[in-house]
Amino acid sequence: MTNRLANETSPYLLQHAENPVDWYAWGSDALERARREDKPILLSIGYSACHWCHVMERESFEDEPTARVMNDLFVNVKVDREERPDLDSIYMQAVQAMTGHGGWPMTMFLTPSLEPYWGGTYFPPNDRPGMPSFQRVLRAASDAYHQRRDDVNRVATSMREMYDATGLRVRSTGALSPELLARATNGLIAAYDARHGGFGDAPKFPQAMVMEFLLQQSARTGNQMARGVALETFRRMARGGIYDQVGGGFARYSVDAHWLVPHFEKMLYDNALLTRIGVHLWQATGDAEVRRVCEETLAWVAAEMTSPAGGFYSTLDADSEGEEGKFYVWTEPELRELLGADADALIAYWGATADGNFEGANILHVEDGQEAAPLSLPAARARLFEARSRRVRPGRDEKVLASWNGLMLRAVAEAARSFRSDRWRDLALKNGDFLFREMVRDGRVYRTHKDGASRIAGFLEDYASVALGALSLYELTFDRAWLDRARQLSASMVRWFWSEDAGAFFDTPTDGEELLTRPRDVTDNATPSGASLAAELLARLGALAGDAEGTRRARQVLEAVAEPMARYPLAFGHALTAADMLVNGAVEIALPGDPGGGAFRELVGAASSVFVPSAVLAGGMGDQAAGIAILENRPPRDGHATAYVCRNFTCSAPITESESLRRELTTGFAVKAAT
């Protein structure tokens, strides 16, 4: 017996289509019923790869007595947070205000006017110390709504006052300056876990955006500690259980402080952000291990996360056969049988034991002191990969999300350019073609694509991320069409999301669904905020095309969080990388000439082999160069492909030799060029 969710396309909603709960998807049917019957709404928000979402479903949503209570007392609404980040943002703000913490599954109780009055995250089926059972919570929330309406209205009013603040005009909290960037850098270095890499204690999350900022500042200032923090954090993750030592790709986070035991779900966005910082670390250091991990991660994306049409899928589940991590772990006898004569060395390298390190089995990781890999490692990985491929695979969420695809497109395109890889170039172009064929129409971006259909009006992060992906394709191919597409999306973004009255970008378009509030999230969380992505896009286009108005808006967005960026840098990693461009200026690399020529390609290769903070590239001549500010009045020298490097309104002499270009870009901007 299915419920209404059987008609949805979201894999998360479809997971609940067989529940005895009378679920609705978010929409007018549910909201009108709540108002008509004066019933509160039980809003449950999660995502398909969420382990505790699965647990709560098994314990409560599949339980007939619990479902009867839900159906009797509430209008029950299920939301995929990945499809609707606006709803997730609005109600996560409420649950954090009410409880001091957040997470998924999110369980929120709303009035028929959509005002939150009580909430939490996971609730168990039976009472536990300090944690009431879900049925107890259901009855208490219903009783509060019907019997203590004054209390409910008081909470709802306080929540509305909290939301009203998002519509106020944004004020500058300080100037963007080198001092601000230095404060943020020092704060991050102080928060660094020198023993294990990363920041903070368990659970420990990848902080790719923060690592990117630290690498930028190292290149700008020569701060070796900043570069060391970024590089060592990447290495520790790459050697830990959070990295799939057999199949490539990073898991969502580590439940411990030393990256051993992951929460096994794999998210597209984490791997996009980590691959991109990996490419930049390789440019800065030439570290072969970093490059290998980037290439393995991209190979995983190509093999397991790419649709036949070219879109990138969203997630792999943590669970298989109802057990978290079962697909990924190994017993020592399994390893010995598969690895044969090389077993002793490889088991020692991967830190496996008879007792295991995870529920009697082993999460493979590079044991401390084992950095020198056995020569048989590639063949051993292949044997384990083949054996693992016969196991029951974790579920895959095959919806394609615009913003996450934009993030991965940037990583793939930059890897293609830096590694000079036709394989990654083809993957990037296929994805870019897919996005602009299926998910962008008449200058509007759609959030999600599945089963041949694109749906849900895009959010700020979707516009900015896809446009930045198009810019990366322009820098890879120098095909003017990609730059024009980025500029068109930027104009649409300003039209639909910018408010001159508020002096800010909102996350939803002006013609979007009317909700309790119009969300405006300025912090960088697991993914960059829409606001910081928009600021970077405008700053980059401002440098390329001389768009002073776009640069003004970018500065206004970031000045609104200037003091918070300096004080709480872990919450503003991507915003800080965008601020660097506005504080120090873009490093403009102009390449007039024929992009099809060998000399031109050699110059591009040289420019792509070193890490240059806030670099923007443009190339071509004639019509391909028209309207691109950094190419104006910079002709090829004597008909040969030529490079001009401009910093702070000062340009180098024309450069026609690739090694000379590498030296020019390395001076003051990269500690060590990649080889």
Side-chain angles (χ1 to χ4, degrees):
M1 183 70 179
T2 58
N3 56 48
R4 295 175 190 83
L5 300 185
N7 298 319
E8 297 298 312
T9 59
S10 159
Y12 175 64
L13 300 187
L14 290 171
Q15 286 172 0
H16 294 265
E18 301 286 341
N19 296 167
V21 177
D22 186 19
W23 288 118
Y24 287 81
W26 182 274
S28 59
D29 289 350
L31 307 185
E32 288 171 3
R33 180 186 166 194
R35 297 182 187 114
R36 184 174 65 250
E37 299 181 10
D38 191 28
K39 267 189 171 181
I41 295 168
L42 191 165
L43 177 65
S44 176
I45 300 181
Y47 58 102
S48 68
C50 167
H51 171 70
W52 285 102
C53 298
H54 300 328
V55 172
M56 193 166 177
E57 180 188 17
R58 289 195 298 269
E59 293 175 344
S60 295
F61 302 149
E62 293 178 354
D63 179 64
E64 293 276 359
T66 302
R68 280 196 297 272
V69 175
M70 294 172 66
N71 295 339
D72 289 345
L73 301 181
F74 299 95
V75 175
N76 302 291
V77 178
K78 178 64 75 172
V79 166
D80 182 341
R81 67 172 291 258
E82 294 169 354
E83 284 194 337
R84 293 299 301 266
D86 54 340
L87 295 172
D88 184 59
S89 174
I90 290 169
Y91 294 110
M92 185 61 74
Q93 189 178 357
V95 78
Q96 289 172 333
M98 292 175 181
T99 68
H101 65 275
W104 301 276
M106 188 203 308
T107 307
M108 182 59 67
F109 299 96
L110 315 180
T111 71
S113 299
L114 308 184
E115 297 164 319
Y117 69 90
W118 200 7
T121 52
Y122 164 80
F123 292 103
N126 301 302
D127 289 339
R128 297 179 186 174
M131 186 178 275
S133 71
F134 188 46
Q135 285 200 32
R136 185 186 296 275
V137 168
L138 293 171
R139 292 190 171 92
S142 176
D143 181 70
Y145 180 75
H146 292 291
Q147 305 300 325
R148 301 193 303 279
R149 189 67 65 90
D150 287 346
D151 292 342
V152 167
N153 290 338
R154 188 160 41 250
V155 174
T157 298
S158 69
M159 292 293 103
R160 184 173 288 280
E161 290 172 350
M162 175 183 71
Y163 292 132
D164 285 346
T166 64
L168 299 177
R169 181 163 182 81
V170 170
R171 297 178 182 274
S172 172
T173 63
L176 304 181
S177 66
E179 291 73 24
L180 180 156
L181 301 180
R183 285 175 62 196
T185 301
N186 292 337
L188 291 170
I189 291 174
Y192 175 61
D193 178 356
R195 183 178 180 188
H196 301 300
F199 304 88
D201 207 339
K204 187 170 279 185
F205 291 80
Q207 296 282 357
M209 294 172 279
V210 164
M211 294 157 63
E212 182 76 34
F213 170 69
L214 289 172
L215 186 62
Q216 272 187 341
Q217 296 316 295
S218 170
R220 292 285 193 188
T221 68
N223 185 328
Q224 296 291 300
M225 178 64 76
R227 188 186 74 147
V229 167
L231 179 60
E232 186 60 19
T233 295
F234 190 94
R235 284 173 171 164
R236 294 303 294 260
M237 286 191 292
R239 297 170 186 174
I242 193 174
Y243 182 70
D244 183 351
Q245 302 293 332
V246 171
F250 290 87
R252 176 70 193 92
Y253 62 87
S254 171
V255 302
D256 52 56
H258 49 285
W259 308 111
L260 174 60
V261 180
H263 186 36
F264 289 89
E265 64 193 20
K266 288 183 182 178
M267 317 297 286
L268 182 71
Y269 59 77
D270 285 315
N271 287 281
L273 296 168
L274 287 166
T275 299
R276 186 165 181 256
I277 178 58
V279 170
H280 295 168
L281 283 167
W282 177 80
Q283 289 173 323
T285 68
D287 188 286
E289 179 184 16
V290 170
R291 176 167 176 169
R292 173 183 60 79
V293 170
C294 289
E295 300 253 27
E296 289 172 359
T297 300
L298 291 174
W300 165 73
V301 170
E304 298 189 33
M305 300 297 286
T306 305
S307 76
F312 297 133
Y313 297 136
S314 294
T315 64
L316 290 185
D317 208 326
D319 298 5
S320 57
E321 300 181 82
E323 295 183 26
E324 184 179 11
K326 184 175 182 179
F327 181 75
Y328 297 100
V329 298
W330 306 85
T331 64
E332 188 185 49
E334 284 178 315
L335 293 172
R336 290 197 177 279
E337 180 180 355
L338 290 164
L339 299 177
D342 299 319
D344 285 343
L346 290 160
I347 285 171
Y349 177 76
W350 276 321
T353 65
D355 293 335
N357 53 34
F358 180 75
E359 300 178 358
N362 290 281
I363 300 166
L364 302 187
H365 63 288
V366 180
E367 187 74 356
D368 287 348
Q370 295 284 334
E371 285 84 353
L375 294 177
S376 58
L377 182 63
R381 290 180 75 237
R383 286 198 295 275
L384 295 186
F385 184 84
E386 194 280 329
R388 196 176 76 175
S389 69
R390 298 193 294 271
R391 297 177 177 177
V392 176
R393 290 183 175 275
R396 180 171 64 189
D397 188 327
E398 294 188 352
K399 68 177 180 293
V400 176
L401 295 172
S403 67
W404 298 10
N405 271 246
L407 295 176
M408 182 54 78
L409 175 55
R410 293 188 81 182
V412 178
E414 292 190 27
R417 183 161 53 81
S418 297
F419 299 158
R420 299 195 188 193
S421 167
D422 288 339
R423 181 184 183 188
W424 308 138
R425 178 189 176 94
D426 292 343
L427 183 64
L429 286 168
K430 187 175 182 180
N431 180 252
D433 288 337
F434 169 85
L435 290 175
F436 281 88
R437 182 179 67 249
E438 300 290 345
M439 301 186 73
V440 179
R441 299 175 192 160
D442 300 322
R444 302 296 296 262
V445 180
Y446 285 80
R447 171 69 176 176
T448 183
H449 180 93
K450 189 172 183 292
D451 298 335
S454 296
R455 53 189 294 271
I456 304 178
F459 302 100
L460 176 64
E461 64 183 65
D462 297 308
Y463 282 72
S465 190
V466 171
L468 285 164
L471 272 185
S472 291
L473 279 176
Y474 169 71
E475 293 181 328
L476 172 65
T477 65
F478 301 100
D479 180 346
R480 177 59 182 269
W482 294 112
L483 175 58
D484 292 341
R485 288 166 178 158
R487 294 174 74 172
Q488 181 188 29
L489 285 188
S490 177
S492 294
M493 179 185 77
V494 171
R495 177 183 178 188
W496 296 110
F497 296 91
W498 176 259
S499 168
E500 198 62 46
D501 290 340
F505 283 106
F506 285 87
D507 293 333
T508 55
T510 56
D511 61 348
E513 178 185 355
E514 186 173 348
L515 301 172
L516 185 60
T517 186
R518 193 178 178 199
R520 181 168 56 82
D521 193 352
V522 297
T523 57
D524 298 315
N525 296 301
T527 57
S529 70
S532 68
L533 286 165
E536 184 192 4
L537 174 64
L538 293 175
R540 286 189 169 277
L541 288 174
L544 275 169
D547 181 2
E549 183 64 12
T551 302
R552 176 192 71 81
R553 288 194 177 100
R555 187 175 298 277
Q556 190 168 345
V557 167
L558 296 177
E559 284 182 346
V561 292
E563 182 58 25
M565 279 196 291
R567 191 174 298 180
Y568 310 109
L570 282 168
F572 293 95
H574 189 261
L576 284 162
T577 65
D580 173 82
M581 181 175 286
L582 295 174
V583 171
N584 294 305
V587 180
E588 302 168 359
I589 306 172
L591 298 164
D594 176 11
F600 185 97
R601 290 197 297 271
E602 286 302 310
L603 289 175
V604 173
S608 304
S609 67
V610 296
F611 177 68
V612 181
S614 299
V616 294
L617 280 71
M621 54 187 181
D623 291 342
Q624 287 290 309
I628 302 177
I630 69 174
L631 289 173
E632 291 178 355
N633 302 315
R634 290 173 186 148
R637 188 176 187 182
D638 299 326
H640 298 290
T642 305
Y644 298 81
V645 179
C646 303
R647 314 165 182 167
N648 297 318
F649 307 104
T650 302
C651 295
S652 68
I655 300 170
T656 56
E657 298 293 331
S658 59
E659 284 305 311
S660 297
L661 178 58
R662 281 167 59 92
R663 286 194 297 272
E664 175 67 26
L665 291 171
T666 301
T667 304
F669 285 99
V671 177
K672 177 179 179 293
T675 57

